Amino acid sequence: MIIIIHGDDIASSRRALQEEIEKQRGSEVIRLDGKKLSLKELIPAFESHSLFAEKKVIVVENFLYGGITKEKQAHLTYLCEFASTFSILLWEDRKIDKLAIKKYLTDAKEQAYVFPTLLFRFLDSFGQSTPSSLTVSFHALRKTQDAELIFALLLRLVRQLILAKDMGSQAFGKLPGWQAEKYLRQAGRWSITELILIYRQLLTIDVKIKTGQTPFTLTELLDIFFLTL
């Protein structure tokens, strides 16, 4: 069986991958880097025999992202030949287009782990909403998401905005055009100096939490942060 595990919620998808591997206790686990995959690696992975395990679990990471080239089609054809013999786990660190999955891996089982729409709306509103509105949205989001996750994504967003402000579109060569444009547009609401200051404030919160230098929780510190923007 081929199982595709993907989505932008990497922590959840990693857990799912590990759970699938653990279901095959006693099997030989072979991990392959999908970004560098070639038939020279695939063939021995599938056709060699282990002295210590009768079954195999083949894990291929980040193979589907970037489009399905003719070379990848050949690899997928080869994988499908062994779908009834081995457990094949395709893990991707982002969401994969379902059309590509249905076209090339019609019999594969899909497990998608994506963040809720409300989380993306919250991140998109950063810099556009008023401090009070941002705080309200944050607490609405906290009903379903951990503060640590929201904080990590917010920190990553501000890093991206700094890059956008500093380097323009050159900072996002590998991103889809619409996503790069979104970062550029959002970064336009601040100066580079303001973004760096915001980033330093977030780093200060991170240090305080990790070193126990504050009596406040992460949620409370973020409340203060949002209200001072």
Side-chain angles (χ1 to χ4, degrees):
M1 175 183 288
I2 297 177
I3 300 178
I4 304 168
I5 302 172
H6 67 110
D8 40 41
D9 187 351
I10 296 176
S12 295
S13 69
R14 274 292 185 192
R15 282 195 297 269
L17 174 63
Q18 189 58 38
E19 288 171 3
E20 291 295 336
I21 292 173
E22 290 176 356
K23 289 178 183 178
Q24 307 293 330
R25 290 185 181 276
S27 298
E28 178 186 9
V29 180
I30 299 175
R31 295 180 180 270
L32 300 171
D33 184 351
K35 295 179 180 178
K36 304 175 182 178
L37 195 61
S38 68
L39 284 175
K40 289 182 179 180
E41 292 177 284
L42 272 180
I43 292 173
F46 281 89
E47 300 184 19
S48 63
H49 299 283
S50 172
L51 296 174
F52 305 102
E54 295 181 359
K55 297 181 180 180
K56 287 184 181 181
V57 178
I58 311 294
V59 180
V60 185
E61 298 193 4
N62 294 314
F63 174 68
L64 299 174
Y65 178 72
I68 307 299
T69 62
K70 288 185 177 180
E71 183 180 16
K72 286 186 178 182
Q73 287 181 39
H75 295 166
L76 289 174
T77 299
Y78 184 83
L79 287 173
C80 290
E81 291 179 4
F82 292 90
S84 61
T85 307
F86 301 116
S87 294
I88 303 171
L89 306 176
L90 302 181
W91 181 84
E92 303 286 329
D93 65 1
R94 64 202 72 200
K95 186 177 180 181
I96 300 300
D97 185 4
K98 288 191 175 183
L99 293 177
I101 294 174
K102 290 180 179 179
K103 182 177 180 180
Y104 297 103
L105 294 162
T106 54
D107 295 326
K109 179 182 176 182
E110 178 195 2
Q111 296 181 18
Y113 297 87
V114 296
F115 292 127
T117 302
L118 184 61
L119 178 54
F120 290 109
R121 288 178 181 171
F122 170 77
L123 294 172
D124 288 343
S125 69
F126 186 71
Q128 182 174 355
S129 298
T130 62
S132 58
S133 296
L134 199 61
T135 304
V136 170
S137 298
F138 170 60
H139 280 275
L141 192 56
R142 279 287 290 113
K143 294 177 181 179
T144 58
Q145 302 297 320
D146 292 337
E148 289 77 12
L149 171 64
I150 300 170
F151 178 70
L153 293 178
L154 185 60
L155 198 60
R156 185 178 70 176
L157 170 64
V158 176
R159 281 199 302 267
Q160 296 289 68
L161 297 182
I162 291 172
L163 287 173
K165 198 70 178 180
D166 184 45
M167 300 175 61
S169 58
Q170 293 181 355
F172 309 108
K174 295 184 179 180
L175 288 181
W178 66 267
Q179 194 171 0
E181 180 59 33
K182 182 174 73 70
Y183 284 134
L184 292 169
R185 186 170 57 253
Q186 196 169 2
R189 298 169 186 144
W190 290 281
S191 68
I192 185 70
T193 302
E194 289 171 328
L195 285 171
I196 292 174
L197 177 60
I198 290 170
Y199 190 62
R200 285 176 177 171
Q201 289 175 310
L202 291 173
L203 289 179
T204 299
I205 290 174
D206 191 37
V207 170
K208 285 182 177 180
I209 290 294
K210 289 180 177 178
T211 58
Q213 297 180 30
T214 175
F216 299 108
T217 64
L218 179 57
T219 295
E220 292 168 337
L221 289 174
L222 286 174
D223 277 340
I224 296 169
F225 168 74
F226 291 136
L227 290 173
T228 56
L229 284 176

